Amino acid sequence: MTAPTTETELVALWRQVLRVPDVAPGDNFFELGGDSFRAAQLAGLVGDRLGVPVTPALVFDRPELAGQARWIDDARAAGPSAAAGPATGGGAPLSTQQEDFLYWMFESEPVRDIGSCATAIRIRDAFDVAVLTRALEAVIARHEPLRSVVTASGEVVVADELPPEVAEAVAEGRTPQERERDAERIVWHERMRLDDVLRGPLVRALVVRLGEDDHVLVLAVHHFAFDGFSLGVMLRELGIVYSALRTGYPSPLRPLPMSYADYCAFTREQWPRNQVYWDQVLEGAPRELTPFPGRRETTLFSRRRHAFEIDAELAGRLRETARARGATTFMAVAACWTWLLRQWTGMTDLVVMSPVPGRTAPEHETLIGCLVQSLILRLDASGDPSYGELVDRVREVSVGAVAHQFHAYQDARLRVPFPSRIHYESFGAPHFPGLMSEAFPFPREQEGLEWGANPGEVDLSAPELIVEEQRDGSMLAAVVYNHYGYDPATAAELAGVFQEYVRAAVAGPDSPLPPLPVRHTGVEACQG
């Protein structure tokens, strides 16, 4: 039997990571749906399966499959190298993000609450709440983080059982429209509920009945145990278990290929290897964005959002502009936000934090927990770069950060406690697998969630940018800000300027980006 070629082996890895049926040697990784997260996954698989340790830079520098295969062949010819596969065995039960959460929760009085990750789904189908409860219990029993509670002394305890909280409500109204409005009211109040981080349960569900075979499911999981990517895993498993139980069959889910404790142990093994990189990145980095026009001094923090939309046509042009530079859409968005921050603050040394899923191997994708990794991007906005040049800078920094994404975030947060943040999400609209379902509108921010600054300190946070890819090609976005520290008008102006920079970027990527448009809020208010 003829041994498989590197190209053939690589085709199988591309198909696994990109989930596409066919791949040709001339295909481009990013044109088939790849991004920086999948590039990290491919790099891990190349090291594990082909025995050639690589970083995601291979994918960005050689996006075509044939070019990657030639590079791997050359690396093999240069000498043998051992792949570093995931470690197994015992290990700490907390991820780096959970360790930082734990430290942050207890560094002030009273104990801070992180809040929950939540979604709302409209189910236009027969729906059995008792079966839902059993399915939730099965998923909780399967995933240790969903049974991990924090004690009053700051210890984390894994309970043998931790049942979910499941409740029902009925939307009132004489017409379907009235009942839908009442359901929106109920969902809003459910989203605003705060959990007791020291008690549990960590998982709660509310089923709102609008009519026969018409329901809204609100599902919330405490953020200490959960991240955004886990929501998709949880809904998939819920759908599978629910369908089996409803028809009288046991759960068909296979055992997890890796435990959460093993995942945490694997990531910790990477920390010392990546520490030199992060020490270099963070050396002398600014602790906050100062001055930030429009910011008031305050010791309290509570999130609010100014939402806006980037239509499908403009978003499509931004994706094409990024692709022409060998960059991802996230990098194109980050370049626009970086230029806004440079113009708004006058700073050219900017630190931006962006979360990534932290799932660099296929077996990580089956886990539920708080696996998210926080990337620190230190960006150079000096000079008068064209938009394309700024994208290149963001690309270089992002590739390096993704390649070293496993690090002790608690250390980085203490060095740079107030970066600006970009949350870029492309998970798709939530639904309940196996049932006629679709997303139902609900608020993203828990407005009653309020934190105090550390004793003797004030809040110096900068507004953050959230961008969510939509199925129609558009982007739902928001500027999220501390409403104690900023007026809504400042957030609205930041959103408007960001959209102007996106339009300028796609109109002339090889021209310098324009200066800040001066209006009647934000900069003028502070400078006066």
Side-chain angles (χ1 to χ4, degrees):
M1 179 180 294
T2 304
T5 64
T6 300
E7 197 169 90
T8 303
E9 294 177 301
L10 202 54
V11 164
L13 299 186
W14 274 45
R15 291 175 61 187
Q16 180 177 346
V17 170
L18 298 174
R19 297 175 183 174
V20 293
D22 298 304
V23 178
D27 283 344
N28 184 293
F29 186 82
F30 299 104
E31 291 177 358
L32 293 182
D35 54 25
S36 58
F37 312 140
R38 291 177 178 84
Q41 286 191 335
L42 182 64
L45 285 172
V46 168
D48 188 32
R49 308 279 179 83
L50 306 188
V52 181
V54 301
T55 72
L58 170 66
V59 185
F60 284 92
D61 294 340
R62 297 168 178 79
E64 292 188 354
L65 185 139
Q68 293 178 16
R70 285 194 296 271
W71 187 93
I72 292 169
D73 281 336
D74 291 343
R76 281 172 162 168
S81 58
T88 58
L94 298 181
S95 68
T96 179
Q97 186 63 72
Q98 285 180 298
E99 285 201 351
D100 184 62
F101 276 159
L102 199 61
Y103 183 90
W104 175 84
M105 286 158 53
F106 285 87
E107 69 182 359
S108 70
E109 291 288 345
V111 176
R112 293 165 171 151
D113 188 4
I114 308 157
S116 62
C117 299
T119 192
I121 301 172
R122 183 78 170 266
I123 300 174
R124 303 179 190 269
D125 211 332
F127 196 55
D128 190 322
V129 177
V131 175
L132 170 69
T133 303
R134 292 168 58 201
L136 280 170
E137 290 171 346
V139 174
I140 291 170
R142 176 176 166 85
H143 295 279
E144 190 174 86
L146 301 180
R147 294 178 279 111
S148 300
V149 294
V150 182
T151 70
S153 62
E155 296 181 75
V156 179
V157 178
V158 180
D160 292 333
E161 295 182 358
L162 192 62
E165 176 188 312
V166 182
E168 297 181 70
V170 177
E172 298 180 351
R174 291 174 297 176
T175 66
Q177 293 78 14
E178 289 177 348
R179 290 192 291 273
E180 185 163 332
R181 285 195 295 271
D182 194 47
E184 291 176 351
R185 177 190 64 81
I186 295 171
V187 168
W188 188 91
H189 282 284
E190 178 67 10
R191 176 58 180 147
M192 294 304 129
R193 283 183 57 196
L194 300 180
D195 301 299
D196 186 346
V197 70
L198 304 179
R199 240 182 353 102
L202 299 177
V203 179
R204 56 183 170 87
L206 172 68
V207 179
V208 184
R209 185 168 184 248
L210 289 85
E212 191 70 26
D213 297 344
D214 191 1
H215 309 79
V216 175
L217 168 64
V218 184
L219 185 65
V221 185
H222 203 279
H223 194 13
F224 180 78
F226 202 73
D227 58 25
F229 195 95
S230 294
L231 183 61
V233 182
M234 188 172 200
L235 287 173
R236 180 183 65 83
E237 292 196 353
L238 268 182
I240 292 171
V241 177
Y242 178 91
S243 295
L245 295 177
R246 186 177 58 172
T247 53
Y249 289 94
S251 169
L253 293 175
R254 298 177 180 178
L256 291 170
M258 169 184 268
S259 72
Y260 189 69
D262 286 344
Y263 172 83
C264 293
F266 160 64
T267 61
R268 274 174 174 72
E269 287 188 354
Q270 318 307 311
W271 290 4
R273 304 173 192 173
N274 295 333
Q275 190 61 46
V276 172
Y277 172 86
W278 289 110
D279 285 343
Q280 292 173 346
V281 168
L282 297 173
E283 177 66 30
R287 291 172 53 83
E288 72 276 332
L289 277 70
T290 297
F292 201 100
R295 180 170 59 205
R296 296 188 298 269
E297 184 171 304
T298 179
T299 60
L300 296 176
F301 184 95
S302 185
R303 292 161 63 91
R304 298 292 186 273
R305 69 170 41 210
H306 175 87
F308 61 98
E309 182 179 0
I310 299 175
D311 63 51
E313 190 274 335
L314 181 57
R317 292 172 62 194
L318 186 64
R319 294 185 191 96
E320 289 299 324
T321 302
R323 189 174 295 120
R325 306 290 304 194
T328 65
T329 312
F330 162 77
M331 296 171 188
V333 166
C336 292
W337 187 247
T338 299
W339 190 251
L340 183 155
L341 295 175
R342 176 252 169 95
Q343 295 291 85
W344 195 272
T345 65
M347 297 176 65
T348 58
D349 184 2
L350 296 161
V351 179
V352 174
M353 192 281 280
S354 186
V356 293
R359 300 167 189 259
T360 59
E363 55 267 32
H364 301 164
E365 296 190 9
T366 62
L367 296 177
I368 288 176
C370 195
L371 284 67
V372 61
Q373 299 290 317
S374 297
L375 297 191
I376 304 296
L377 309 177
R378 189 173 181 183
L379 301 169
D380 174 15
S382 62
D384 292 307
S386 69
Y387 174 70
E389 291 169 342
L390 196 56
V391 170
D392 291 344
R393 296 181 191 180
V394 173
R395 174 186 179 275
E396 180 180 2
V397 170
S398 299
V399 170
V402 169
H404 300 85
Q405 63 183 271
F406 297 115
H407 66 109
Y409 180 62
Q410 179 184 330
D411 174 64
R413 181 175 66 83
L414 295 176
R415 296 196 205 185
V416 186
F418 298 108
S420 181
R421 299 169 186 264
I422 301 177
H423 290 247
Y424 188 86
E425 301 177 3
S426 57
F427 302 143
H431 68 286
F432 197 99
L435 299 178
M436 295 290 293
S437 59
E438 61 190 6
F440 189 81
F442 82 111
R444 290 289 300 270
E445 311 304 331
Q446 291 180 284
E447 295 181 1
L449 201 61
E450 188 172 287
W451 309 318
N454 290 340
E457 298 181 2
V458 297
D459 179 72
L460 295 175
S461 63
E464 65 186 79
L465 177 69
I466 295 179
V467 177
E468 304 171 39
E469 293 270 7
Q470 302 299 299
R471 289 182 176 177
D472 65 359
S474 65
M475 296 175 178
L476 291 183
V479 173
V480 177
Y481 60 99
N482 177 10
H483 83 100
Y484 288 112
Y486 298 91
D487 289 327
T490 300
E493 182 168 356
L494 288 167
V497 173
F498 175 77
Q499 292 174 86
E500 289 195 22
Y501 282 156
V502 171
R503 286 189 285 269
V506 300
D510 295 322
S511 302
L513 282 165
L516 182 72
V518 178
R519 299 183 181 175
H520 302 292
T521 60
V523 173
E524 288 187 330
C526 186
Q527 289 177 341

